[in-house]
């Protein structure tokens, strides 16, 4: 098992701030991977890990991903991430106290790190953190924030699906195209509904069968069994539940022409992008297509932009994907490699 020293020694980021949080028995890892394009921005993950080093590794890896994601989204932000690695998820006063201690840490960085919600935290937690620092967004609407980012992410995903369909078929008309939405939660629920309105034939898979049924009904579609969803024949597979569904085991079983959805870290391994290309499946790189929530919240909470400006920025996700697909075709590389190249060029300009 790697030690903190070994993990930090291998990392290419700028700074890690660590707090041994004795009060909770946990650790806080605040990683600033890059401030080259602006303050390091990224979510706050609250999670139980097997070891503290696992929490640090997660924060370092995720913050590097944020650098690429925010560079491609062109928001003038760098990449960061924080992990609150706790022995048990705290509730009530203990949770508030933990978030306040964390808020003090964020505040001490003077705005070079800004944060929002991630797995294990939500808008109410951002409201609590905001009691101790102004460098937090993703707050509730009641507190003057933009609220749940899911629906904004969903709008970006639908733009991404249309750009993918246009690249494959020459037209972004979704009429009659079958889209399998895996995960009918905050993002997937809205994706399904929007696709239904666009005339797509929507299939919904969720381990929560009731939720799948109600989302499918709202989208005018049907449900499929969550355990066999990936093998369903469809034009577009939209992973909107969990990561790592694209692997050397699953890719040969896919019966879709495109993969375009919101889930983070969809590829089990980086080289799985090449497997998708070889199988003739167009892959919308996850961190490009799922940036809508980050874009919208940033525009609305940090920059006071109008809804029309938000709409235009979300539509740009489709245009960015088209640019990535064209680059991948021209250079005979995977779409994931083309997205990474776009991020690298933004970081070097
Ligand atoms: P959510 O928790 O609201 O919904 C996830 C849904 O997936 C739930 O309904 C759950 O029952 C279902 N699910 C879990 N395991 C499943 C399985 N094996 N098969 C089918 N369904 C399953 O989450 P969300 O906010 O909608 O986010 C969905 C994905 O998108 C996550 O990977 C998240 O990291 C990513 N993402 C979300 C946002 C955002 O703005 N919410 C932004 C970027 C990326």
């Amino acid at each position: 098992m790697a030690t903190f020293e070994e993990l930090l020694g291998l990392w290419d980021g700028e700074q890690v701030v660590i707090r041994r949080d004795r009060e909770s028995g946990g650790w806080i890892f605040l990683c600033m991977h890059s401030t080259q394009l602006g303050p390091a921005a990224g979510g706050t993950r609250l999670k139980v890990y097997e070891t503290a080093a696992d929490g640090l590794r997660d924060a370092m890896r995720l913050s590097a991903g944020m650098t690429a994601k925010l560079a491609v989204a062109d928001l003038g932000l760098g990449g960061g991430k924080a992990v609150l690695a706790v022995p048990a998820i705290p509730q009530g006063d203990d949770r508030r106290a933990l978030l306040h201690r964390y808020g003090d840490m964020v505040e001490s960085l003077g705005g070079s790190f800004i944060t929002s919600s991630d797995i294990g935290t939500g808008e109410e937690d951002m409201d609590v953190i905001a009691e101790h620092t102004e460098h937090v967004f993703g707050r509730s609407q009641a507190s003057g924030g933009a609220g749940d980012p899911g629906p904004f992410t969903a709008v970006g995903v639908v733009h991404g699906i249309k750009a993918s369909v246009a690249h494959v078929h020459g037209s972004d008309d979704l009429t009659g195209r079958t889209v399998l939405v895996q995960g009918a939660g905050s993002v997937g629920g809205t994706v399904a509904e929007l696709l239904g309105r666009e005339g797509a034939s929507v299939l919904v898979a969720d381990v929560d069968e009731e939720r799948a049924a109600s989302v499918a009904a709202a989208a005018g579609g049907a449900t499929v069994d969550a355990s066999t969803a990936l093998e369903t024949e469809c034009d577009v597979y939209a992973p909107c539940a969990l990561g790592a569904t694209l692997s050397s085991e699953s890719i040969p079983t896919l019966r879709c022409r495109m993969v375009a959805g919101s889930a983070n870290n969809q590829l089990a391994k980086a080289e799985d992008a090449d497997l998708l290309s070889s199988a003739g499946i167009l892959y919308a790189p996850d961190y490009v297509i799922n940036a809508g929530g980050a874009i919208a919240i940033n525009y609305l909470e940090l920059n006071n932009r109008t809804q029309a400006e938000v709409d235009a920025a979300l539509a740009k996700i489709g245009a960015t994907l088209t640019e990535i697909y064209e680059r991948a075709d021209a250079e005979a590389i995977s779409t994931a490699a083309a997205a990474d190249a776009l991020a690298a060029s933004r970081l070097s300009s």
Side-chain angles (χ1 to χ4, degrees):
M1 192 201 313
T3 63
F4 283 10
E5 193 178 3
E6 283 162 350
L7 289 173
L8 291 166
L10 290 171
W11 196 50
D12 65 347
E14 290 176 12
Q15 193 181 168
V16 179
V17 183
I18 299 179
R19 175 185 165 85
R20 170 68 170 128
D21 193 59
R22 293 190 192 288
E23 297 87 335
S24 66
W27 295 82
I28 299 178
F29 303 110
L30 196 158
C31 294
M32 299 163 70
H33 180 259
S34 170
T35 54
Q36 198 185 322
L37 299 177
T44 299
R45 182 164 290 196
L46 175 63
K47 194 173 159 183
V48 176
Y49 292 86
E50 210 164 295
T51 69
D54 290 339
L56 173 60
R57 186 187 290 109
D58 216 15
M60 293 192 316
R61 176 182 67 86
L62 293 165
S63 67
M66 288 306 295
T67 298
K69 174 173 182 160
L70 294 172
V72 170
D74 210 8
L75 292 172
L77 291 174
K81 203 83 174 188
V83 160
L84 314 188
V86 284
I89 301 296
Q91 302 298 344
D93 288 347
D94 289 347
R95 187 176 180 109
R96 281 182 62 78
L98 170 65
L99 294 172
H100 283 160
R101 292 191 294 278
Y102 169 60
D104 289 338
M105 262 176 94
V106 174
E107 183 63 19
S108 74
L109 294 169
S112 50
F113 174 81
I114 59 177
T115 196
S116 60
S117 59
D118 193 73
I119 290 172
T121 61
E123 52 196 81
E124 296 80 16
D125 297 310
M126 298 306 113
D127 290 349
V128 175
I129 294 168
E131 291 166 7
H132 280 228
T133 180
E134 62 180 292
H135 306 297
V136 56
F137 57 118
R139 289 169 291 121
S140 68
Q141 287 183 341
S143 302
D148 180 10
F152 296 114
T153 302
V155 172
V157 168
V158 172
H159 283 299
I161 289 173
K162 292 182 79 165
S164 306
V165 169
H167 189 73
V168 169
H169 296 291
S171 155
D172 70 358
D173 186 0
L174 296 181
T175 315
R177 302 270 175 224
T178 304
V179 185
L180 166 69
V181 181
Q182 181 187 39
S186 174
V187 180
T190 308
V191 166
E193 198 182 322
L194 295 173
L195 290 173
R197 278 193 226 151
E198 295 258 358
S201 170
V202 182
L203 299 174
V204 182
D206 197 299
V207 285
D208 181 335
E209 289 176 10
E210 253 176 61
R211 188 178 292 173
S214 82
V215 165
T223 59
V224 296
D225 192 316
S227 62
T228 53
L230 262 67
E231 293 138 45
T232 309
E233 188 166 353
C234 57
D235 294 296
V236 183
Y237 160 45
C240 297
L242 63 173
T245 59
L246 304 170
S247 65
S248 53
E249 290 81 40
S250 72
I251 291 168
T253 72
L254 293 177
R255 292 168 70 203
C256 60
R257 179 70 182 80
M258 295 157 250
V259 176
S262 74
N264 279 312
N265 305 314
Q266 293 171 28
L267 301 169
K269 292 194 188 127
E271 52 269 30
D272 293 330
D274 297 316
L275 291 184
L276 286 166
S277 304
S278 308
I281 296 172
L282 182 70
Y283 168 62
D286 46 15
Y287 69 78
V288 181
I289 192 172
N290 74 13
I295 291 170
I297 286 181
N298 180 269
Y299 268 37
L300 293 169
E301 280 188 47
L302 298 181
N303 293 306
N304 285 320
R305 305 280 195 102
T306 63
Q307 187 59 48
E309 289 173 306
V310 172
D311 293 344
L314 295 179
K316 207 174 142 214
I317 289 175
T320 303
L321 281 170
T322 301
E323 185 184 334
I324 286 167
Y325 295 157
E326 287 171 353
R327 182 174 191 155
D329 288 347
E331 297 178 18
I333 55 176
S334 72
T335 54
D340 291 346
L342 177 60
S345 67
R346 294 250 161 94
L347 285 161
S348 66
S349 61

